[in-house]
Each structure stands twice: as C-alpha cells, then as structure tokens.
Amino acid sequence: MKSFKNLLLGPPRRTLVGGMLIAGTLVAYPAFADDVSPPAAPVPSSTAVTEPAAAVPEVQPPEVHDDAVLMAVRSKLAAGPAAEEDRDRKDQTALTDFYAAHHGEALWVTAAGVKPEAKTLAAEIENAWAYGLDPARFKLPALNEGALTATDTDSLADAEIEYSKAALRYARDARGGRIPDPAEMLSTNLDRRPQWIEPKIVIEALATTHEPDAYLRSLQPQQPQFEKLRQIYLTMLPKDGKPGKLSTDAKRIRANMEMWRWMWTNMGDFYVLNNIPEYMQYVYKDGEIIRSEKIVVGLLDKQTTIFSRPLKYVVLRPAWRVPESIMVNELWPNLIRGGGMMRQYGLQIVTKDGQRPVDYRSINWATTDIRNYDVVQPPGPKSVLGHVKFSFPSQHTIYMHDTPDKWMFKPAQRTLSHGCLRVWKPMQLAELILKEDKGWDAGKIAELDRAGALNNEIPITKEIPIHLVYFTAWVGEDGKLKTFRDVYGHEKRVTQALDGQWNKINKGRDHLAPVEPSFDPSAVAARGQNLENDYGAYGPTSKKKNASVGDMIGNAFGLSY
C-alpha cells in the first residue's frame, strides 16, 4: 500500500520555462501535515512534459578500510589488564572507547611507520622539562634515526598505544596530575584540585589536529604569572638546556609553577587575590590591579587555608560567631572559672539553632560540654570583626573582616589570627565590591555602616571569586622576581612531592578534625574560680595598661579570630 504522503503527491512532471526544461511536482498539502514545507511560488509554464524525470543515483560514501595497526590496537586495549591507579584506568577507558569508534588509520603509527604527527607529539613531550615537568614520566617508543626499530603489526600497535598514553599523561601532568590530591597528600590546609581535562576530550582533540604539540602547550596554565615564572625558570636550568640537578632557587620556581596548575583556569573578571606568604591582598578588574593592601593571616599553628570560593555576602555591622576551636580550648576554661570574658566582651551563649539565648551563669561548665551551644558576639564597639565582614562559605569557616587591632598590620610577618584574614582599610574593599555588584556609591555604604541594620547581610549576585593563594615567588609588573618566606611550609611540601620524597612530607594536623579540649574540665574547676580572666591559650593575660579591647580579647583568646 502506498504511504499517505505518496498518495498526496502527483506523478512527477517537467515544465519548459524560457526554453529550459525543469522538473516539477504537483503537491496537495493537508491541513494537519507538519513534515511538509509550504508550497513554492508557482512557476509559469509554456509547455508541459509528461515523461517521468530520470532517477538520480544514490551516492554511496567510500568504504573505509581499517588499517591493520588500528585493528591490533583495538584488540590490545580490549584485552589488556586494568591499570592500578584510578586516573590510569580512566585513560584506558577513554582510549578503548576512542579506538573502538575510530576508523581508517591509527593516530600516530601505520603499517608504513611513524606519522609526522607522532614525531611532533614526541618532541613536545620530550621538551616537558621546559615547563617544569618530568620527561621521565612519559614512556615513548624508541626510534632509530626517526623510525621504529620493529615493523611487525604487533609492535606497531604497541607504539601507537604508548604515544597515546604518553599524551594523556602529559595532559594530566600539565594540569597538576603529579599531586592529584594536595589536601590528602600534602596538607589539609591546601584545599586545591588539579584542573584536569577529561581524557576523552584530550584524545578526541588530538585526533582532529595536525599540530599536537601546540595542543599540548595549550594545556599548560594560561595565567600570565605562570609564563613569567617559567621564563625565569628557564634561566635557572643548566647551560646545555638539558634538565639536570635543580638548584634550590629553581625548585622554588618549579613549586610555584606547580601550584598554578591547581588554580581556576578562569580567575574571574573581577576578583580578590590574597597571597598568604606576602601578607597582601590584590583586587583585579579586567586583568589590572585596582587595589593592593596589607592583610593579617593565620598563626603558624592555626593556618589560613588555601582555597577559592565565590563571595556570597558583604556583612555590615557584623555579629561574630565564635569558632569552635576558640570556644573549646580558650573560652570554656574561662567559663569554668567564672566566665569573666562573657561580661567583658559582651559574649552570649545561644542554642544551636540560634533562636534562644542561654544564661551562662545557670550552667555547670565543669560537667557541660560547650560544644552543645554556640557563642556569639553581637555587633558593637567591642566586636572583633569591626565594621564589615566578607563571607565566602566553605568547610574551613574562614572569611575576611575588619579589626579594631590596627597594630597587627605593622609587623613584617603578620601571622597573627586564628585563620581568618584581617583586612586593612576594609570599607574601601566593601565600596569596590558593592559598586561592582550593586552600583552603590561610597555615601550609601557609609550610611548603611552608620545606621543600617545590624548584621546586615548584603547578598552578592555577580561571580566575584575570593582566591586565597600561597605563592612564595611572584614576578612583578617590572619583570623582577619577588620571593617570600615559606611560613607554612607548603612550598617545601610541594618540592618534596615533585622530587619523589613522599616519606619526608610533614602533613601537620588535620584542621578539619573534630575539636577536642586540650585540658581537663574537672582539673580546671578544682583550681577554683578566684581568677576569672587568667586563662588563655598562651597563659595569663597581658598586664599591659591601656590595651585596646581587641588587644585584650586577643590575649584572652590567644589572639582572636
């Protein structure tokens, strides 16, 4: 039976127009048809031709014959044992799937030998040392005067697989693959992730280019600072241009280059960068620095964690929620001895949901765990957060804020907080951010600071990343290298990892582990309550006269958060 559509179409006909014979078809269009195009404008005809049009032969695509090497590659990948490491197994899967769907010739090797693309690929991989990578990590087929030493199909297939595996490993290492989990392998305070590209994407990209070397180079960090460091690194290599034993200075540059492999590929059009070893903050807009000011960072045993998150709130006239580490080991002992700090600094005990205040004097703190409650400090002149707080939530409970303790910005080494970043001239930072996000002027922000709502959380709607970074080497706009002390030891850890000295790495404490008291509550209670304010993380409080509120709470809390 003819289809409904065929029944609607009349027999083909030809029409002579201006001495030319054209094909035409009489079409009837049902009102409910949705797969038929509207009729074309009528064509005038002078002569009708009734004979049918000649059939157009269907063009068949040329048959593709798979190269013997390609077929051998498929068999080897399908039958090969699974790799031990997870990333290597993902590479295997990507290659197996790619070669199963690929037809014609292999990418790098045919029965005739090595393709030019393979030689270009190998040359770039062998040049990995120029990017601070280790060429020894990439196994490439051995060549004799540019040709493979073996010519049988089995050996050629092995060579093809080696080229592809080396390319995928290079792609991984270019994006930080030598240290796949910095938080687990180096320190929990290095909350970074290598910026990997899926191996499926890499192998498919290599299959579509005749310049695999250029593609591999494009996988290296594209931030200008990485390239500036690399150029200095090249000057520190041996004169013959070949990698050898690196100097201490060269290893420092290499470690900083490696940390760039963990950074976001897109830092943001407008972002804040806090370089911890430099104790400096920079605000970037469209690649240019529009603000640079001092910051105070975490103590050596209460480090500022290295991570990036988007800014969520600018909080004017903020309240302070006391961190658990301070609650447990610094405030709890004081509560056992009478709780003088609660009155002195206007602190409040509240239920975990924050809905109900609790009279701290009604609780026996020698037998009650402070972790069952929260402790807050309302906004006001005693606030350790000053006028403004910048919130970019994470599991690390770290943020940027103002401080009444202006003396903290004077020392050259400003490792003085419990982990949060104290910012110099923070209202200027708030003005820049709120102008960028809301279009507000300085006058509006000043009025909100003077008389606006308490703990006024202003949501940020634009993507404004806050980057907490750890670069001990930085090339300035003048092209000169600046170096900073490795205060937290992260540069050393990265260097040890790159040198394969994993057993020497001191990971330090797990800062995300549950906080446990460093004292015996009953023993503190047994000493009596006659000295309410004499307990802090670092011993008795300072006797210094005329100390600011910030100084006193800093001493009492072992330097405030």
Side-chain angles (χ1 to χ4, degrees):
M1 179 181 292
K2 293 183 179 179
S3 70
F4 179 75
K5 186 172 180 180
N6 287 336
L7 289 173
L8 295 174
L9 301 180
R13 68 181 183 177
R14 291 187 176 182
T15 305
L16 187 65
V17 179
M20 298 180 63
L21 196 63
I22 63 172
T25 304
L26 180 62
V27 183
Y29 293 93
F32 53 83
D34 60 1
D35 61 340
V36 181
S37 301
V43 179
S45 68
S46 58
T47 304
V49 180
T50 59
E51 64 268 28
V56 178
E58 184 179 353
V59 178
Q60 297 291 337
E63 186 176 354
V64 177
H65 297 282
D66 290 339
D67 185 87
V69 174
L70 176 59
M71 291 189 288
V73 167
R74 287 185 193 140
S75 299
K76 284 178 174 290
L77 289 172
E84 294 182 3
E85 295 186 8
D86 179 62
R87 284 285 161 183
D88 289 334
R89 287 196 298 272
K90 288 185 177 181
D91 287 354
Q92 281 183 328
T93 300
L95 292 180
T96 300
D97 292 345
F98 170 79
Y99 281 106
H102 184 69
H103 294 284
E105 294 181 343
L107 298 186
W108 319 112
V109 179
T110 69
V114 179
K115 288 184 174 182
E117 289 85 355
K119 296 178 181 179
T120 303
L121 178 87
E124 189 62 36
I125 292 176
E126 290 168 350
N127 191 48
W129 57 268
Y131 288 86
L133 300 180
D134 181 6
R137 285 175 54 84
F138 316 115
K139 181 182 178 183
L140 291 167
L143 299 179
N144 182 13
E145 296 184 356
L148 290 168
T149 54
T151 58
D152 60 284
T153 300
D154 191 66
S155 298
L156 294 176
D158 287 337
E160 171 75 16
I161 294 172
E162 286 181 2
Y163 279 123
S164 289
K165 283 186 175 180
L168 292 185
R169 172 159 280 196
Y170 183 101
R172 211 189 316 160
D173 282 9
R175 295 301 185 94
R178 288 182 290 182
I179 307 175
D181 190 347
E184 172 65 27
M185 304 170 81
L186 302 182
S187 167
T188 59
N189 278 304
L190 280 172
D191 182 10
R192 290 291 184 204
R193 296 291 182 273
Q195 301 298 294
W196 283 316
I197 298 176
E198 288 298 318
K200 175 180 182 292
I201 295 175
V202 174
I203 193 64
E204 289 177 351
L206 287 168
T208 59
T209 181
H210 291 294
E211 298 180 332
D213 54 336
Y215 177 73
L216 291 184
R217 288 193 295 272
S218 75
L219 300 178
Q220 299 288 348
Q222 298 301 302
Q223 292 93 343
Q225 190 62 209
F226 176 86
E227 181 60 23
K228 290 178 180 180
L229 288 170
R230 190 179 80 86
Q231 292 299 326
I232 291 177
Y233 177 75
L234 291 174
T235 68
M236 296 179 173
L237 294 174
K239 298 298 182 182
D240 59 9
K242 296 181 180 179
K245 185 176 181 181
L246 295 177
S247 66
T248 300
D249 290 340
K251 288 186 177 184
R252 161 168 279 187
I253 302 299
R254 181 188 59 165
N256 279 266
M257 290 169 61
E258 193 69 17
M259 286 187 278
W260 274 107
R261 304 184 196 280
W262 306 336
M263 294 301 299
W264 291 6
T265 54
N266 181 5
M267 300 281 285
D269 297 327
F270 183 100
Y271 64 90
V272 181
L273 185 142
N274 301 281
N275 192 17
I276 305 307
E278 189 183 5
Y279 317 116
M280 287 293 294
Q281 178 185 88
Y282 301 95
V283 179
Y284 284 81
K285 182 176 174 64
D286 299 328
E288 301 293 330
I289 296 174
I290 61 173
R291 166 185 157 94
S292 58
E293 290 294 350
K294 296 177 180 179
I295 54 174
V296 172
V297 307
L299 292 154
L300 300 185
D301 63 340
K302 296 178 177 63
Q303 297 177 10
T304 298
T305 303
I306 308 306
F307 67 103
S308 296
R309 294 289 189 280
L311 181 64
K312 292 299 183 182
Y313 298 97
V314 172
V315 187
L316 298 176
R317 308 177 78 186
W320 180 44
R321 181 182 178 277
V322 180
E324 191 172 81
S325 60
I326 297 176
M327 285 173 52
V328 170
N329 285 318
E330 299 167 34
L331 182 57
W332 191 3
N334 183 266
L335 283 166
I336 293 173
R337 304 181 72 91
M341 287 188 216
M342 300 296 296
R343 298 186 298 274
Q344 189 172 3
Y345 303 116
L347 303 177
Q348 297 177 359
I349 303 289
V350 296
T351 54
K352 275 292 185 181
D353 59 10
Q355 299 299 311
R356 185 171 62 86
V358 177
D359 185 351
Y360 71 90
R361 292 165 296 189
S362 66
I363 298 173
N364 181 358
W365 293 105
T367 58
T368 302
D369 193 327
I370 198 173
R371 289 170 289 187
N372 296 330
Y373 300 91
D374 284 336
V375 181
V376 298
Q377 183 188 48
K382 297 180 180 181
S383 172
V384 300
L385 300 186
H387 291 262
V388 62
K389 165 186 169 182
F390 304 87
S391 177
F392 39 103
S394 73
Q395 70 271 35
H396 308 293
T397 61
I398 285 177
Y399 42 86
M400 306 183 304
H401 64 88
D402 184 16
T403 178
D405 301 331
K406 306 304 181 186
W407 65 267
M408 287 187 170
F409 295 95
K410 294 180 180 179
Q413 179 172 325
R414 296 187 288 277
T415 49
L416 299 169
S417 81
H418 267 71
C420 283
L421 301 179
R422 296 162 179 249
V423 181
W424 183 250
K425 299 180 181 178
M427 291 308 295
Q428 290 184 3
L429 176 62
E431 290 170 6
L432 285 174
I433 290 173
L434 293 175
K435 179 181 178 181
E436 177 72 19
D437 188 67
K438 310 292 185 190
W440 293 355
D441 60 20
K444 178 178 178 66
I445 298 166
E447 178 61 20
L448 289 173
D449 178 43
R450 185 187 69 81
L454 297 178
N455 204 45
N456 184 8
E457 293 186 337
I458 303 169
I460 300 302
T461 57
K462 289 187 177 180
E463 179 80 4
I464 299 180
I466 308 296
H467 299 291
L468 279 61
V469 301
Y470 193 90
F471 293 119
T472 56
W474 191 274
V475 182
E477 295 299 320
D478 57 1
K480 294 182 179 179
L481 177 67
K482 297 183 291 184
T483 58
F484 315 107
R485 184 184 169 199
D486 184 19
V487 288
Y488 292 165
H490 293 327
E491 178 200 306
K492 181 179 180 180
R493 294 183 181 96
V494 174
T495 297
Q496 289 171 328
L498 297 181
D499 285 345
Q501 299 174 346
W502 296 97
N503 61 331
K504 294 184 178 181
I505 296 174
N506 179 7
K507 298 180 182 180
R509 70 181 184 90
D510 180 357
H511 78 288
L512 295 174
V515 178
E516 299 295 336
S518 59
F519 62 93
D520 180 356
S522 60
V524 174
R527 291 175 55 191
Q529 300 180 2
N530 58 326
L531 295 174
E532 289 186 344
N533 295 311
D534 69 344
Y535 196 99
Y538 300 96
T541 57
S542 171
K543 304 300 183 182
K544 181 173 62 175
K545 293 183 179 181
N546 301 320
S548 70
V549 170
D551 291 338
M552 290 187 290
I553 201 169
N555 286 325
F557 285 176
L559 295 169
S560 60
Y561 207 76

